[in-house]
Each structure stands twice: as C-alpha cells, then as structure tokens.
Amino acid sequence: MEIFMMGKYSAHVWSSFGITAVVLIICVLQARRRHRIVLSDLRVRIKAMESEQ
Amino acid sequence: MWSFLHKLASPPHFYGISARMIPWFYAAGLLAVAYGSVAGLFYAPADEEMNDGFRIIYVHVPAAFISMSAYMVMAIGAGIGLIWRMKLAHAVAAGAAPLGAWFTFLALITGSIWGRPMWGTWWEWGDPRLTSELLLLFLYFGYMALRAAIDDTAKADKASAVLALVGAVNIPIIHFSVEWWTSLHQGSTLLKSGGPAMHPDMLYPLLAMILGFALLFAALLLARVRTEVLHRERRTRWVRDLIMPAGEAA
C-alpha cells in the first residue's frame, strides 16, 4: 500500500488520475451511444420508407 | 497515394476501414497509457520542488496537448471542407469538437487541482494561460451550439467552419501565453531550446502518456466521424443496404 501514498499530495494526484479515467470512459460511452442512436433512427426511417413503397 | 486518399474519402469505404482501425487505436492507446501511468506514478523519481505532486503532469500535459491538437484537427477539417467542399472533412471537424471540449475540461480541472497546492489557488482570473485555455473550452461550446442550432447540414458546416477558423488564433495565444505575458503557469518543459529539461525516468512516461492520449483521441475521433458519416449519408443506397441487407423483408 505504501507505493500508493503520494506524501501530502495523495488526494491531488489520485483525484487527477481518477477524473481523467472517468472522462475518458465517458468519451467512449458517448461515442458508442451516439452511434447506436443513429443506427436505430436509420432502421426506423428505412423501414418506414420501404413499407410506403 | 492519391487514389488511396480518394478511396478513403469515399463514405462507404471510410465507414468500413475505420471500423477495422478503431480497435487497434484503442488497444495501442491503452497500452501506452498503462505503461505511462504505472511508470509515472510509481517508478519516476519524485520532483525536488513539487515532490509527488508533480505526477499530475502525466495527465495534465497530455490532456492540454490533445485539447489544442483537437482544435487544430477541427480547424484544418473545417478549412479543407470550406475550400474543397469535402464533406468528410466537415464530418471530421464536427467529430473533433466534443472530444476537444472534454480534453480541454480535463486540462483545466487537473491544472486547477495541481495549482491549488503549488500556487495556493484553484483559479486565477486574468492569468493569460488559464484564461486562453478557458476560452478554448468556450470556442468548442460555441462551435457545437452553432452546429446544433442549424438544421441544414451544409449550412451548419459552413457557418461552424468559419467560427472554427476564426477561433484558431487562440491556439498560438495559448501556446505562447506563458512567454508573452507573466503567468502563474510555468513554461514548457518539453518544447524548449536545448531539449526537454527532465530526467529520462520522468520524461519517458510523459512521452508515453502523450502518445497514448493521441492514440485514444484518434480512436474516439474515428468512432465519432463514422457515426457522423452514417448520419449524413442516411439517404444513400449504401446506407440503406447496410441497414437492411438484401433479402430482408421490410
């Protein structure tokens, strides 16, 4: 456990790394979510168009 | 070379090839970040002045580097889109903006956490480096808000491209702010004459983190541009065939 201690800066160092990890994960999830939304919109749209014909 | 680029710029081709590239960029980026984090947190020697507090550099500098690189990608994409009317370039610009905003947010917040123990303050209004980086965040927000406000994609492309290009003056201002004016912020450790002023055990993890962030950014950008291309091409034959393969009944 001792290697995780950053002297008096523990909270600063670990919160910086923690926030960075969280933001990177949010970036990945956002990109995936947006792709899924566009795909499902397209499915609805194209199905509607095909059934009209 | 040109035929390769032409092919890459064709939307269906880009859509296919990017899907195969994204996992590799993610994997390589994660590898570099894993090495950089472990080496930076546990193996790099502590700084003489800042002690272990200097380790924030391993997330702060890469985030700040990408926050500015993403803007360059956005402005260059916007410029190419305006001049050569290349839709994929506009898609790249649109995909880079939200990512740039996130990395700018990261640079600001990690800088603030670092500034608190070192300068005795979370934030200093009027400091040139801090203020120009905050302006960068607002430029990304403005760009995204402008795009969101215009329904017509071609018009949104043009208007937002002009904003992106005008805002590009802020990039050299951020970079040189610590040299042109007095700032709390220290000068660049890496980009200085005579080479980086750092012990190799401190330097290599930092370079690995910058490389890793760049690779992760590339993966995220490809993913976002892919989505953007799909949406823009929604009325085309290839997207129709992709969503509803032949033989599948409506």
Side-chain angles (χ1 to χ4, degrees):
Chain A
M1 283 313 281
E2 215 158 85
I3 57 165
F4 293 103
M5 301 308 286
M6 298 288 168
K8 58 178 173 172
Y9 299 115
S10 274
H12 299 94
V13 172
W14 288 112
S15 62
S16 296
F17 273 77
I19 291 166
T20 303
V22 169
V23 166
L24 288 176
I25 290 166
I26 290 174
C27 282
V28 175
L29 295 180
Q30 259 188 354
R32 286 193 178 187
R33 186 163 156 264
R34 172 111 182 90
H35 198 74
R36 270 205 309 273
I37 291 171
V38 168
L39 271 181
S40 65
D41 280 356
L42 275 172
R43 266 187 216 111
V44 172
R45 194 196 164 90
I46 288 169
K47 265 195 183 145
M49 264 169 33
E50 307 262 302
S51 55
E52 268 173 31
Q53 283 164 6
Chain B
M1 179 69 187
W2 281 112
S3 69
F4 170 77
L5 283 178
H6 251 123
K7 228 176 147 188
L8 187 67
S10 105
H13 195 77
F14 173 83
Y15 192 82
I17 211 168
S18 60
R20 271 171 280 151
M21 286 161 71
I22 290 167
W24 293 102
F25 277 104
Y26 270 132
L30 279 178
L31 212 65
V33 166
Y35 158 74
S37 297
V38 171
L41 284 168
F42 307 122
Y43 292 96
D47 184 68
E48 277 178 25
E49 275 176 53
M50 296 192 247
N51 223 311
D52 286 316
F54 100 98
R55 296 182 202 278
I56 295 172
I57 201 174
Y58 295 112
V59 284
H60 176 71
V61 165
F65 173 74
I66 299 296
S67 77
M68 288 157 72
S69 311
Y71 199 95
M72 297 297 288
V73 169
M74 187 174 103
I76 291 169
I80 291 175
L82 267 189
I83 297 166
W84 287 293
R85 296 164 190 277
M86 194 176 149
K87 285 181 194 157
L88 186 65
H90 282 302
V92 168
L99 296 172
W102 272 120
F103 281 93
T104 308
F105 167 77
L106 260 189
L108 287 167
I109 200 105
T110 55
S112 189
I113 292 171
W114 200 0
R116 178 67 198 141
M118 302 306 166
W119 306 332
T121 180
W122 300 100
W123 185 260
E124 185 71 28
W125 284 108
D127 184 276
R129 171 55 68 80
L130 276 54
T131 311
S132 53
E133 183 76 12
L134 184 64
L135 178 63
L136 182 66
L137 185 65
F138 292 151
L139 281 169
Y140 282 124
F141 286 163
Y143 177 91
M144 289 189 281
L146 185 60
R147 290 199 65 92
I150 305 172
D151 281 334
D152 183 273
T153 310
K155 281 183 190 155
D157 282 345
K158 266 189 201 158
S160 63
V162 172
L163 175 69
L165 287 171
V166 172
V169 279
N170 189 41
I171 295 298
I173 293 179
I174 297 173
H175 182 73
F176 291 110
S177 58
V178 289
E179 292 175 25
W180 292 342
W181 301 288
T182 39
S183 171
L184 279 176
H185 200 284
Q186 66 186 76
S188 177
T189 313
L190 289 179
L191 302 171
K192 61 194 283 180
S193 52
M198 261 183 133
H199 190 278
D201 288 346
M202 289 177 168
L203 178 65
Y204 294 140
L206 181 58
L207 297 178
M209 287 301 264
I210 293 172
L211 177 70
F213 272 47
L215 289 165
L216 292 180
F217 171 74
L220 288 163
L221 180 65
L222 281 173
R224 280 198 168 263
V225 175
R226 215 166 156 258
T227 309
E228 189 71 30
V229 164
L230 193 62
H231 178 68
R232 282 162 184 258
E233 297 279 305
R234 61 191 177 278
R235 294 189 185 88
T236 60
R237 185 78 209 168
W238 75 269
V239 170
R240 193 231 152 263
D241 291 344
L242 183 87
I243 303 291
M244 284 239 187
E248 204 178 301

